[in-house]
Amino acid sequence: MTLHQKSRRPRLPSTFSLLSLFEAMATPHALDRYLELVDPMTTVRDLRAEITAVHRSTRDTVTLTMRPTQQWRGFEAGQFVQVGVVIDGVRHTRCYSPSCSQYRDDGRIELTVKAHPEGLVSQHLHRNAREGLVVSLSQADGTFHIPRPRPAGVLLISGGSGITPVLSMLRTLLDEGYSGDLTFLHYAYTESDVSHRTQLDAIAAAHDNIRIVFAYTDQEQGGDLHGFFGAEHLRSAAPWYADAETYLCGPPGLMRGVENVYADLGLEDRLHLEEFAPPLAVVTGDVGGEVSFTESGKVGDNSGLTLLEQAEEAGLTPAYGCRMGICFTCTSVKTSGCTKNIKTGETDSEPDKKIQLCVSVPVGDVAIEI
Amino acid sequence: MFAIPSPSLSLLPFMSTSDSPREQPVPTTLSYEQVQELGRELDEMRARTVAKLGSEDREYIYKIIKAQRGLEITGRALMYLPFLPPAWLAGVGALVLSKILDNMEIGHNVMHGQYDWMREPEFNSQVFEWDTVCPADQWKHSHNYMHHTFTNIVGKDRDIGYSLLRMDEGQKWNPYYLGNPVYAFFLMLLFEWGVMLHDLEIENVVKGKRKWHDVKPLLGGMWRKAGKQVLKDYLIFPALTGPFFASTVVGNVGANLIRNLWTYSIIFCGHFPTGVQTFTEDETSDESQGEWYVRQMLGSANIEGSPLFHIMSGNLSHQIEHHLFPDLPAHRYPELAPEVEALCEKYGLPYNSGGFFNQIGSVWGKIFKLALPNSLTGSKPTVGVIVERKKVAA
Ligand code: FES
């Protein structure tokens, strides 16, 4: 190790100065602004990825294998990345969790995207993703991952497209030769809605310590469990749950259900979760007041949508990333008024406070510094 | 000594007097209702264009970027052939074109936020930098904010004369202005540096209205930006051509100079030709959107030319359309121009447009004429259009 590092050290300054010479020549533009015109995958600073395989596993999901450029620093199972694609001239960015093992040896990542009926980006990817398409990518982020040393028992619970981060956890643990108790409990409407089902069956067949449990909410035959999550599901899927750590990702209904059961059992500390369904603005009662965007001087009636959407409707283009309250790209200063965080339900009436536009709705008059 | 007495001015071949306001002694009057209606029509025009924005606009700007990068690389490469004068000259030419495209059709327009809707980090007005010595953030303040908000308001729009020249009859004359044409000539040669210093408001620093701590951060920004530009054009690239160091410096100085000449000329044609109207602060306090639109139209002038000419001027040849819709992608202006002109006709407003030589001639005519006090040239501030700002009781 030490030797290896030493032998590399003297070469660093020379490559560095050559790069900075090129950067000085390209000033004021970034070197990548020249390189991308020749080959979008040859970059000095920007992280991008090329789609190398497209697989449509169910009628509304598509699995993409992507080769990131050399800046990619890898990820921990459970984390997410932001992927950007151009649709009708506009770059749209969304968060997805890789579903592959973090040790994949070709260094590629695999994303499973569910086409939501209203989802612009997911619909687009489902329809148009093809080999060779280059998308923009962010480094992995997020605190949802399994700590080291790995816990003795692991229960993974997912629903719908929430399968991706926990599937990545499962595959990663397998690659590590995990020998503890592991149950993978997955909720879907019906059997045909489960993506990666054949791979999951194969995994269960090959490992004694691993149980794959399919629960169907709209189908009464087949699978292992039926209906919604409850204490009975928990007991039958993983009787040792009280000594294990549970990782959960799925639609809001499932999340609330699991959280309630764990709260009743007094096991909140053992539950780790990631919210992946895009928050919907809950319009309760009458929506009133005015939203003013102080820097651009625009004012509009509060429509009940999130402040990010209201700003966009007013013709502004605030920066955003995930649009679901996790990346903080959209953070802006609320100068006055009361906002409600639709993820947490918390209201906030402190002036000059930084809030996330994408998960905040105005309650009455609000002024935002954009 | 450079001033020409006004009677001889109209004899200059490039002077056009056809649209001189003196020939329309009775100003057009716009009623309050007309102004509101005009505002609504322009708002609709804007909304129609915004709805159209998409892939076509994206492809357009990428095509321009590709052309600019190609020209730049060609220009730099041809500097290795100073012993073949035509090739070397072609190199200077390619560099001139590259810098003009970078500054005008790309830089100026991107920094206006015209491509922000693409949500492409590299085309975002917040982060874009251009190939000139003026730091983008300072330019956005002096141009996007000051000039586009207070367009042609004497005493507020610092683009009227750049605190150096007398460009309007409403500016008080003093003997300093006898040098008007000389200052203009040097401003033209050193235009990029003039643009850089613009946000400093040197005249206010001299008058003591601006304090050192306001100016200091600006100087820091200039030092960093200009330093990199100078290093690149006058040291790194020349050094890379080895034995041809000197000829490359000459080539790069030449390219920057010609670019200055061109950008100065296009920009001065935007607001200073004959027939352009200026305003006072009183006239324009608490404007409505409609009134703002009218001021932009009366205060701007277009240059006619071929599609290539429009691209090379960053479509600032459509200055009127640009001032109405500064954040719409500029390559849309040519398609908006006939509609805007038709609106002007409908409301009896002038639509100031002319060929390049006609417009630049009238600009220089003004530079010479305004070197002298109004009493000598017989000119006084003219008003072509009167805007009624209150509802007149029926
Ligand atoms: S856009 Fe990511 S937190 Fe709002």
Side-chain angles (χ1 to χ4, degrees), chain A residues 21 24-30 33-34 36-37 46 48 86-93 298 312 316-318 320 323, chain B residues 53-55 58 65-66 68-69 72-73 102 116-122 128-131 225 228-229 232 236-237 240:
Chain A
L21 174 65
M25 284 162 69
T27 193
H29 307 300
R33 302 287 83 77
Y34 291 83
E36 67 196 0
L37 301 176
D46 292 1
R48 300 202 185 109
V86 175
I87 305 171
D88 196 19
V90 183
R91 184 170 293 280
H92 294 269
T93 310
K298 306 226 171 181
E312 284 171 350
L316 304 176
T317 50
Y320 71 86
R323 299 182 78 94
Chain B
L53 299 183
S55 308
R58 185 186 180 91
I65 294 264
K66 261 199 171 153
Q68 184 265 319
R69 306 288 198 252
E72 181 175 6
I73 290 165
D102 179 286
D116 278 7
W117 57 271
M118 296 201 317
R119 299 194 186 142
E120 200 62 63
E122 64 226 54
F128 192 86
E129 264 295 351
W130 54 348
D131 187 6
K225 178 72 198 295
K228 280 192 198 159
Q229 291 291 125
K232 167 177 95 153
I236 295 180
F237 276 109
L240 285 171

Side-chain angles (χ1 to χ4, degrees), chain A residues 308 320-330 356 358:
Chain A
L308 181 60
Y320 71 86
C322 64
R323 299 182 78 94
M324 52 210 270
I326 46 183
C327 70
F328 293 89
T329 310
C330 65
Q356 288 163 280
C358 65

